[in-house]
Amino acid sequence: MATWPKQLLPRENGELVEMQVPLIVSASRSTDIPAFYADWFFHRLDKAGYSAWVNPFNGVRGYVSYKNVRFIVFWSKNPEPLLPYLDILDRRGIKCYIQFSLNDYEAEGFEKNVPPLGRRIDTFKRLVDRLGKGRVVWRFDPLIMTRGLGVDGLIEKVEGIANQLYGYTEKLVFSFADIVSYRKVQTNLQKAGIAYVDWQEDDMRTFARRLSEANQRWGFELATCGERIDLSDYGVEKNHCVDDRLIVRIAYNDKVLMDYLNVEIEQRGLFTPSGGILLPNGMYAKFGKSNRDNGQRSYCGCIKSKDIGQYNTCVHGCEYCYANTSKEAALGNMRAHGGGGGAESITGR
């Protein structure tokens, strides 16, 4: 788990405590901050200047200061509530992009509390219009197979969304639901009476081949998230969800951030060096080192960020959820949160 340098800083009650002071924030892999806690987060960012966070592995309470934040990666299934807050980021000089998990499980009822698919697609387009193409990344995540939903059905669902997002996204990121390895997910699906089917390598390769064929219509970058299997034969890369290359494309004018990422920006000649990132005005960027976060899973390509979310706080009610012990626990924590930004932590405790 990534940690950042700490400084002794005041809480709202005047107590001095050690706070992590990150440059890059993840909001969040652990819960859907944009959908349910946007008001809390932007109050903590813009007014309070910090928030509290509980380490999920040891239960220790810590604090995160936002004084040096230069970039935020948002994760959401319904980022519509972000729209009125984006001006705050502009004012503070903070750049962002959004990992938007836009799935179609309406018929299956896997995601009971997300808005209708058409509304989510409209939100995607509105965010692209506001932020720019490339700064809203489409994820169909996870891909869930059941006895009634196989590769053919999943490809059809992906195609249905892709046809509507054509021209609005550069990339499609997907992952295969690893149900057998995650007891919590397995228990949740069994409790909901869902006859899941675990993915086998042949299924994954068939899906990747079919998706690659369909992608000839759209030309998206295709990538998997945290998957062991190599699908490069089908034009599928391994994704870096907290992605230094995308951060450079968006924030290349931020010298502090570029220095942190060990990026050099130079004038392009006739050829761009291998691994170079094309930038406007005849420039390109290159990395002096790998920025991969070694604290993440073996097959995760993310760079270091500070995740400020909490498990057991997302109330989308997804039947396959890995982030909640139970729906009841998540609902209880949301009630304790109480709305607004007054509480230091998401849970209000």
Side-chain angles (χ1 to χ4, degrees):
M1 180 175 295
T3 57
W4 291 78
K6 293 183 178 180
Q7 295 181 15
L8 201 61
L9 296 167
R11 296 172 61 196
E12 289 168 300
N13 65 4
E15 178 190 8
L16 289 175
V17 296
E18 283 195 334
M19 297 189 187
Q20 289 191 53
V21 187
L23 293 178
I24 303 171
V25 161
S26 169
S28 155
R29 294 181 181 94
S30 305
T31 190
D32 198 326
I33 286 176
F36 301 116
Y37 304 103
D39 56 348
W40 171 84
F41 175 71
F42 281 95
H43 178 87
R44 304 310 302 178
L45 173 75
D46 195 42
K47 304 299 184 186
Y50 77 98
S51 62
W53 171 83
V54 177
N55 188 311
F57 299 105
N58 59 23
V60 174
R61 185 181 179 91
Y63 296 90
V64 181
S65 167
Y66 299 118
K67 62 179 288 192
N68 290 347
V69 171
R70 321 287 292 200
F71 206 98
I72 301 172
V73 179
F74 291 105
W75 311 67
S76 186
K77 290 181 179 169
N78 176 29
E80 183 178 9
L82 283 181
L83 282 161
Y85 291 104
L86 294 176
D87 288 345
I88 293 175
L89 300 184
D90 292 341
R91 173 167 53 79
R92 296 181 66 92
I94 298 172
K95 304 294 187 185
C96 75
Y97 65 83
I98 302 168
Q99 295 275 353
F100 192 155
S101 291
L102 180 53
N103 307 328
D104 177 9
Y105 291 125
E106 290 191 316
E108 293 74 18
F110 293 164
E111 301 173 338
K112 287 188 167 56
N113 296 328
V114 298
L117 180 60
R119 181 171 169 179
R120 286 178 282 141
I121 289 172
D122 179 67
T123 293
F124 194 106
K125 293 178 178 180
R126 291 169 65 197
L127 284 164
V128 172
D129 290 341
R130 173 64 174 79
L131 293 172
K133 188 176 177 182
R135 291 179 62 179
V136 188
V137 180
W138 176 29
R139 304 173 71 90
F140 201 116
D141 175 33
L143 292 159
I144 300 174
M145 282 204 304
T146 69
R147 290 177 190 167
L149 180 63
V151 168
D152 289 348
L154 287 167
I155 288 290
E156 186 177 329
K157 288 176 180 293
V158 171
E159 287 178 324
I161 298 175
N163 289 334
Q164 297 181 75
L165 292 186
Y166 179 63
Y168 283 87
T169 188
E170 300 175 343
K171 180 182 277 192
L172 166 57
V173 180
F174 60 93
S175 69
F176 304 104
D178 187 2
I179 296 165
V180 171
S181 299
Y182 291 90
R183 185 176 299 174
K184 188 187 300 182
V185 177
Q186 197 171 16
T187 300
N188 288 339
L189 290 175
Q190 289 171 346
K191 192 181 297 184
I194 295 170
Y196 63 85
V197 176
D198 211 44
W199 286 86
Q200 304 302 314
E201 184 170 322
D202 286 348
D203 300 319
M204 296 178 188
R205 294 193 180 280
T206 299
F207 179 88
R209 176 180 57 79
R210 294 277 306 280
L211 180 60
S212 180
E213 292 167 355
N215 191 45
Q216 294 177 28
R217 283 173 272 165
W218 314 302
F220 299 148
E221 296 174 43
L222 302 177
T224 55
C225 172
E227 295 289 348
R228 178 196 303 257
I229 190 169
D230 182 354
L231 298 174
S232 57
D233 288 348
Y234 309 101
V236 180
E237 301 176 351
K238 292 183 181 294
N239 200 47
H240 305 173
C241 299
V242 182
D243 184 355
D244 52 0
R245 294 181 66 86
L246 183 53
I247 290 172
V248 169
R249 285 174 52 198
I250 294 169
Y252 60 89
N253 285 325
D254 187 330
K255 188 176 186 310
V256 171
L257 197 53
M258 295 305 100
D259 287 348
Y260 168 74
L261 294 173
N262 200 17
V263 168
E264 294 181 17
I265 297 177
E266 298 182 3
Q267 191 73 36
R268 291 203 305 266
L270 292 176
F271 304 100
T272 301
S274 176
I277 303 168
L278 295 178
L279 300 174
N281 303 318
M283 308 296 287
Y284 77 93
K286 63 180 182 179
F287 292 102
K289 64 175 178 62
S290 170
N291 292 306
R292 183 182 178 276
D293 181 3
N294 293 323
Q296 296 295 332
R297 297 169 298 166
S298 300
Y299 299 99
C300 175
C302 287
I303 69 165
K304 180 179 171 183
S305 62
K306 178 68 189 99
D307 198 293
I308 51 92
Q310 296 282 169
Y311 291 119
N312 288 313
T313 58
C314 180
V315 293
H316 279 311
C318 300
E319 302 295 357
Y320 55 80
C321 183
Y322 71 90
N324 291 337
T325 304
S326 68
K327 295 176 185 177
E328 294 73 22
L331 282 168
N333 281 326
M334 172 162 261
R335 292 191 190 103
H337 169 79
E344 289 183 315
S345 73
I346 287 178
T347 61
R349 301 183 181 93

